[in-house]
Amino acid sequence: MYDQFSRDYDRFVNWDARLGVEMPFLVGQLSGLSEKDGRPVRVLDAACGTGQHIIALTEAGFRGAGADLSAGMTSLARANAADRGLDIPFRTAAFHELTAAFGKAAFDVLLCLGNSLPHVLTRKGLLAALRDFRAVLRPGGKLILQNRNFDRVLAEHQRWMAPQTYRKGRDTWVFHRFYDFDPDGRLTFNIVRLYSHDEAGFDQRVTSTRLWPLTRVELDPLLKKAGFVDIIHFGDMTGGVFDPEESPNLIITARTP
Ligand SMILES: C[S@@+](CC[C@H](N)C(=O)[O-])C[C@H]1O[C@@H](n2cnc3c(N)ncnc32)[C@H](O)[C@@H]1O
């Protein structure tokens, strides 16, 4: 799905607005995590997509690297970094392949943002991912996860997400996302992409993938089993308190011992 969607991703996300909200929280969470005086904090974005978070963090003085399962995404991330004159290592790798790609204890911080971890559909797969997250972090390193608040999505049966529109010249894109609530407890995540040139009708394309709507009570024990400690929850990327009934997100920070 994401190889296909990668070409539209930077149209779908309003990066100026999103980074404007998220960067202060991320920079606050990352600051002071350098092991050695003077060395920049080393940050890996484990589902980097088109690289926009790690590019912004590199420009803010952190030492960034990115990985993503989708070769389409990592290729766009490289191009976006090159456009900004930045040399950031990007690897095409799944969550459980990060140590193989970058080595053990290579980072002070690991980010997994934008509801990426729920793409892992099994407990075994999730544990392998979290164990690899731990191994690629140094002792005392920090994990930051950003997922949707699936407690609320499930309780309210929130099927539809707000549509996003992008216009450039005579071209218009509309992205509309919705979930199917599958009988096995997983979700099918659908993205309808409408494209119009010169307002001459819409070309329509639908892509879908499955998600595990991970809740806090499912995730916390797996984080502990993978060896993480000091687990903290927030409800959004401004550091708001997590409320299962109200919060838009489940943000988790945790440490390696
Ligand atoms: C919704 S995008 C989020 C991208 C970016 N982190 C953001 O916040 O906008 C989800 C990303 O997760 C990646 N992904 C899905 N499953 C993955 C896996 N098992 N390992 C690594 N990346 C994965 C996809 O390729 C995609 O780039």
Side-chain angles (χ1 to χ4, degrees), residues 39-118:
R39 193 204 62 201
V41 178
R42 302 162 303 170
V43 188
L44 173 63
D45 188 344
C48 65
T50 53
Q52 303 289 358
H53 284 103
I54 210 68
I55 287 169
L57 289 168
T58 303
E59 287 178 336
F62 299 96
R63 186 178 297 165
D68 200 285
L69 182 61
S70 157
M73 287 291 195
T74 47
S75 149
L76 281 165
R78 275 187 208 104
N80 283 336
D83 281 351
R84 309 281 272 263
L86 299 172
D87 183 17
I88 298 174
F90 289 104
R91 304 269 185 277
T92 300
F95 295 136
H96 64 282
E97 297 172 334
L98 300 173
T99 316
F102 294 99
K104 281 193 173 183
F107 295 96
D108 304 299
V109 181
L110 187 144
L111 308 176
C112 188
L113 308 176
N115 211 40
S116 299
L117 198 60

Side-chain angles (χ1 to χ4, degrees), residues 33-35 39 42 104-109 133-142 227 229 255-257:
L33 281 173
S34 183
E35 233 182 343
R39 193 204 62 201
R42 302 162 303 170
K104 281 193 173 183
F107 295 96
D108 304 299
V109 181
F133 286 2
R134 181 184 164 186
V136 84
L137 283 168
R138 68 164 168 87
K142 186 184 260 191
V229 297
R255 302 287 294 241
T256 52

